[in-house]
Amino acid sequence: MSTFNTAMRIVWRHKSYLLIYLVGLSVMMVAMLLGTVGGGARTADGTPSYAPRRAQVAVVDRDGNRGGVAQGLREYLSASADLIDVDDTTQSLQDAVTTNRVDYVLIIPNGYVRNFADKAAQGEAIEPLDTVTSYTSAVGAMANMRVQGFFASLRTAYLAQIAGANGVVAGDIATANAPAAVTDMAKAVAQVVRTAKGPQARTQVKVVQAEGEASRYAKRVYASGLKFGGYPIVASMIMVISLVVGIFGLPETRRRASASPLKPLESSVSLLSACAVVGIGTALYYLALCLGPVGYLGGDLAAIGAGPVLMGAGTMLAYIVVAISIGFVLGQFGVSEGSANGFANIVGLIIVFTSGIWFDPSMMPATLIAVGKMLPGWWYADAIDRALGTGAYLGEAANVAGWASSTALMLLFAFALLCIGLAVGAVRRRRPGTTAAGVTVLSTVV
């Protein structure tokens, strides 16, 4: 059995790591991508649109709908909020607020409408209503602003009603002897609701897509997908490659290999070929996973351009080579499966945490940025941004020279790690007694 086939069988026997680290984590990353980059609403033809979340509002009327105020307020709010029925009990009101079933509760107390009419006619300030606004969202505060707008408009409309009924001008209404008639209040409520629903209340908005906006949006989605792969790629490649290389580095395995007709160079080339196949398969899988959301979120793949797509793919492939190199070094040290598992998670988190992928570099302290620039994750994100004109290079054209320098720096990381791994492997082969034989032999995994 050739070294290549044996290595691939080892990978297949440990496919659970690929399913967990690569497939499982990448699906989670894509879900995050759809929730962050694709958070904005878009129409069926891909045109951006704005659709604010509707507030959940409860209007508790203890004034018997006097003057039609409570019903009018509900109609007024229905255009921007969903009305929720809540029982007028202390327990029900508390439950509705604490469970976030409502964002805003308004209580109209008994006698409020008559008091409102009297205060308005006398030119005095209106007493505020009892309200409860949810602290978990701003939509409750927006609903409160609309309620204040309703009562401000109602005051003006009511003053106009009683001014017309008593034959006085609006400036003299405070001194006029005008009774707070319920019929005038009902007419004022109807006028406010009618005005709010009229065509003049609707602002006509037309979304005009700026030149190049489609390209920038598609590049942003594609770049975000590539960046979100930082952790799944590192964790999966370190884990799988360290297992394969580690098993081939066991004393029992080396003794069997020395008895085979294959030359050591041929065996090493076959092992590296198996690692390359795993890396290329990972690259193709994640590239498809990055390009898929572009079309799903309304972006245009053609708008990205073949050059930026290939540069982004090349950067990801270089990053995979770095991850394979880390796994190669671990395998040469002969770490156990459990240690490799922990190392893959810790190193993957450190690389991504300091890369500026999860946090904007402007929010990171200078010390963390300095550490990030000493790790390959920073240059992975930098190369993607330079290739696609995103992040710190937003709006700029593809910088081929900058992309090439950042990608080449990642490959230098990989080259240095491979040299370390080869040196460790050479020392272990010359001094086999310094390391204990592993408990896992080739026959148990192939």
Side-chain angles (χ1 to χ4, degrees):
M1 183 183 296
S2 67
T3 302
F4 178 84
N5 292 335
T6 303
M8 295 308 297
R9 291 190 64 182
I10 295 173
V11 172
W12 180 251
R13 289 292 299 269
H14 294 84
K15 59 183 177 295
S16 59
Y17 289 112
L18 288 175
L19 293 176
I20 295 172
Y21 285 111
L22 183 62
V23 178
L25 289 177
S26 63
V27 170
M28 291 177 58
M29 295 298 123
V30 170
M32 291 174 59
L33 174 66
L34 297 177
T36 54
V37 179
R42 304 178 75 85
T43 59
D45 60 354
T47 304
S49 63
Y50 174 66
R53 186 171 78 84
R54 294 171 64 87
Q56 307 296 308
V57 176
V59 177
V60 179
D61 180 25
R62 297 174 180 173
D63 202 20
N65 195 33
R66 188 184 299 272
V69 172
Q71 183 60 33
L73 177 60
R74 292 188 178 97
E75 294 183 23
Y76 183 88
L77 294 174
S78 62
S80 59
D82 295 329
L83 299 174
I84 305 297
D85 292 329
V86 178
D87 294 336
D88 187 10
T89 63
T90 303
Q91 182 69 34
S92 298
L93 293 174
Q94 289 178 348
D95 289 344
V97 174
T98 55
T99 59
N100 283 330
R101 190 160 67 93
V102 295
D103 300 303
Y104 180 76
V105 178
L106 174 71
I107 300 175
I108 303 177
N110 183 30
Y112 178 79
V113 173
R114 183 170 295 278
N115 182 63
F116 178 91
D118 291 339
K119 295 287 187 180
Q122 295 170 13
E124 298 178 6
I126 307 299
E127 295 181 1
L129 289 166
D130 293 332
T131 62
V132 179
T133 305
S134 174
Y135 63 89
T136 61
S137 174
V139 294
M142 295 297 294
N144 184 57
M145 294 175 62
R146 287 191 59 82
V147 169
Q148 293 176 358
F150 171 81
F151 282 104
S153 300
L154 180 60
R155 178 186 179 122
T156 302
Y158 177 70
L159 292 177
Q161 285 291 333
I162 61 176
N166 291 274
V168 297
V169 296
D172 299 329
I173 193 62
T175 60
N177 186 17
V182 174
T183 55
D184 291 335
M185 184 63 70
K187 292 179 182 178
V189 169
Q191 181 181 347
V192 171
V193 174
R194 186 168 56 251
T195 303
K197 291 184 176 182
Q200 67 276 12
R202 301 189 185 95
T203 303
Q204 300 297 324
V205 178
K206 182 179 181 180
V207 178
V208 179
Q209 193 171 50
E211 185 177 355
E213 181 62 28
S215 174
R216 284 193 292 271
Y217 178 76
K219 288 179 179 179
R220 180 190 173 205
V221 177
Y222 180 50
S224 299
L226 290 174
K227 290 180 180 179
F228 282 169
Y231 179 65
I233 288 173
V234 167
S236 60
M237 291 297 98
I238 290 178
M239 191 63 214
V240 173
I241 300 303
S242 65
L243 279 177
V244 174
V245 176
I247 291 173
F248 275 90
L250 293 174
E252 178 68 20
T253 308
R254 290 202 303 269
R255 284 194 293 269
R256 293 186 180 187
S258 63
S260 68
L262 284 177
K263 296 180 180 180
L265 179 60
E266 294 177 356
S267 178
S268 298
V269 171
S270 298
L271 179 59
L272 291 176
S273 299
C275 295
V277 169
V278 175
I280 293 173
T282 300
L284 293 175
Y285 162 76
Y286 208 86
L287 182 63
L289 208 61
C290 291
L291 293 175
V294 177
Y296 177 80
L297 295 175
D300 186 3
L301 287 174
I304 301 177
V309 169
L310 292 177
M311 285 192 291
T315 299
M316 181 177 62
L317 191 58
Y319 187 65
I320 290 175
V321 173
V322 174
I324 290 176
S325 302
I326 298 174
F328 178 75
V329 173
L330 282 184
Q332 293 288 22
F333 272 105
V335 298
S336 64
E337 184 175 340
S339 299
N341 194 359
F343 188 87
N345 282 280
I346 294 174
V347 171
L349 287 174
I350 292 175
I351 289 176
V352 179
F353 188 81
T354 59
S355 65
I357 293 176
W358 288 353
F359 303 99
D360 190 272
S362 62
M363 302 171 58
M364 298 167 59
T367 304
L368 196 60
I369 292 177
V371 173
K373 290 183 177 180
M374 292 187 289
L375 298 174
W378 179 277
W379 304 108
Y380 174 62
D382 185 75
I384 292 173
D385 288 336
R386 287 180 182 272
L388 297 167
T390 56
Y393 311 97
L394 184 63
E396 299 181 9
N399 186 342
V400 179
W403 164 81
S405 62
S406 296
T407 303
L409 191 55
M410 281 196 297
L411 293 176
L412 286 177
F413 275 102
F415 178 76
L417 290 168
L418 285 174
C419 290
I420 294 173
L422 291 173
V424 171
V427 171
R428 293 189 68 201
R429 283 193 298 271
R430 291 172 185 171
R431 303 175 61 185
T434 58
T435 56
V439 295
T440 304
V441 294
L442 187 64
S443 59
T444 64
V445 295
V446 298

